[in-house]
């Protein structure tokens, strides 16, 4: 990935998907005079399991800001000077993104926002709306369509993660997967349908292409319409 001539802010950057996105953005490096910032909670910073990761990222130039995503003052203050916001918030924090996007719209500097999407396309067909956490992602998309006019919002859709199907996740076995030890497999649907997968580390590729669009064409470039959807 070419160096990024933007001031980038990341939400949810230490999560299952977020850590891959954060690592990729840091590997690309910000252009001189620009910054890459992670907004995270005090509890994450004090989490012993994540301190080594955060320390490694800081050595690569990451700025870490602590705060509460539900505190408008914390978010507004952090948005100052930020050009691009990348959200990788988990399913329990999807709906609060509407407030983050609203505050971005009010910001003097934020021009582009990537909501936490990834995974499968939540508007792929009529059944998509009934899947959790699609319901909250759809509410975020509806908010963007109805309320956002200044900030460019782009959805990065990757398809399902093969990582999640190489085991049977407790409590969500219905999504399918394999338990090699128990010689058990759960097949979704009839088992005859075609399916495409990606891996969690590969979720960075849509962001790579989007970042090149920003770098080459600028913030006002529209791929298809003001709220765009990039698929792998």
């Amino acid at each position: 990935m070419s160096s990024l001539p933007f001031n980038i802010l990341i939400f949810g950057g230490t999560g299952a998907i977020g850590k891959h996105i954060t690592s990729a953005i840091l590997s690309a490096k910000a252009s001189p005079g620009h910054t890459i910032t992670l907004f995270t909670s005090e509890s994450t910073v004090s989490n012993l399991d994540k301190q080594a990761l955060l320390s490694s990222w800081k050595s690569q130039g990451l700025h870490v800001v602590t705060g509460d995503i539900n505190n408008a003052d914390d978010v507004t203050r952090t948005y100052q000077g930020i050009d691009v916001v990348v959200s990788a918030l988990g399913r329990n924090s999807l709906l609060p993104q509407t407030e983050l996007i609203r505050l971005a719209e009010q910001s003097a500097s934020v021009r582009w926002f990537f909501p936490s999407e990834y995974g499968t396309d939540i508007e792929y067909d009529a059944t998509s709306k009934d899947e959790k956490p699609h319901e909250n992602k759809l509410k975020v998309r509806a908010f963007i369509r109805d309320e956002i006019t200044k900030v460019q919002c782009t959805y990065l859709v990757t398809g399902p993660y093969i990582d999640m199907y190489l085991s049977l996740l407790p409590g969500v076995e219905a999504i399918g997967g394999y338990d090699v030890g128990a010689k058990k497999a759960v097949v979704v649907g009839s088992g005859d349908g075609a399916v495409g997968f990606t891996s969690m580390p590969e979720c960075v590729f849509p962001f790579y292409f989007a970042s090149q669009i920003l770098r080459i064409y600028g913030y006002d470039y529209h791929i298809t319409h003001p709220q765009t959807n990039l698929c792998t």
Side-chain angles (χ1 to χ4, degrees):
M1 190 186 296
S2 303
S3 61
L4 304 171
F6 327 111
N7 292 317
I8 299 176
L9 176 66
I10 306 169
F11 290 111
T14 65
I17 301 302
K19 62 186 178 184
H20 298 295
I21 293 173
T22 302
S23 292
I25 292 174
L26 284 172
S27 295
K29 303 183 185 307
S31 297
H34 297 87
T35 60
I36 300 170
T37 302
L38 171 69
F39 185 102
T40 192
S41 64
E42 290 282 359
S43 61
T44 295
V45 170
S46 60
N47 186 326
L48 294 177
D49 294 333
K50 296 191 175 183
Q51 286 180 357
L53 179 63
L54 290 172
S55 178
S56 172
W57 285 346
K58 287 179 181 179
S59 71
Q60 298 176 60
L62 180 71
H63 297 259
V64 176
V65 173
T66 57
D68 181 354
I69 63 167
N70 296 308
N71 185 308
D73 290 337
D74 287 354
V75 175
T76 299
R77 183 168 52 250
T78 307
Y79 276 168
Q80 293 178 10
I82 294 296
D83 306 308
V84 178
V85 179
V86 179
S87 175
L89 292 169
R91 62 179 59 194
N92 293 330
S93 301
L94 292 174
L95 202 52
Q97 287 183 115
T98 56
E99 180 65 5
L100 298 179
I101 297 167
R102 184 184 69 80
L103 293 172
E105 180 84 349
Q106 296 175 355
S107 164
S109 61
V110 177
R111 302 284 299 280
W112 205 299
F113 197 108
F114 294 88
S116 185
E117 286 269 342
Y118 322 108
T120 56
D121 186 357
I122 60 174
E123 294 182 310
Y124 178 73
D125 60 26
T127 64
S128 296
K129 64 180 176 58
D130 300 320
E131 299 181 36
K132 296 182 180 295
H134 288 191
E135 293 173 357
N136 283 339
K137 288 184 178 181
L138 287 167
K139 290 177 182 178
V140 173
R141 286 195 183 187
F143 174 82
I144 291 169
R145 281 194 295 265
D146 295 342
E147 305 291 338
I148 302 304
T149 58
K150 184 186 75 172
V151 173
Q152 169 87 320
C153 294
T154 297
Y155 313 122
L156 303 182
V157 176
T158 65
Y161 300 116
I162 188 63
D163 318 52
M164 298 178 63
Y165 290 86
L166 297 179
S167 62
L168 282 175
L169 300 178
V172 289
E173 292 87 349
I175 68 172
Y178 301 88
D179 184 337
V180 177
K183 297 182 178 180
K184 177 182 178 182
V186 175
V187 178
V188 177
S190 67
D192 296 324
V195 62
F197 288 103
T198 188
S199 69
M200 290 185 180
E202 290 174 334
C203 71
V204 304
F205 290 119
F207 181 80
Y208 168 79
F209 289 115
S211 70
Q212 298 313 298
I213 289 170
L214 265 69
R215 184 175 64 84
I216 297 170
Y217 296 104
Y219 298 100
D220 296 324
Y221 180 78
H222 292 177
I223 301 168
T224 53
H225 53 80
Q227 278 72 50
T228 56
N229 186 344
L230 289 183
C231 303
T232 52

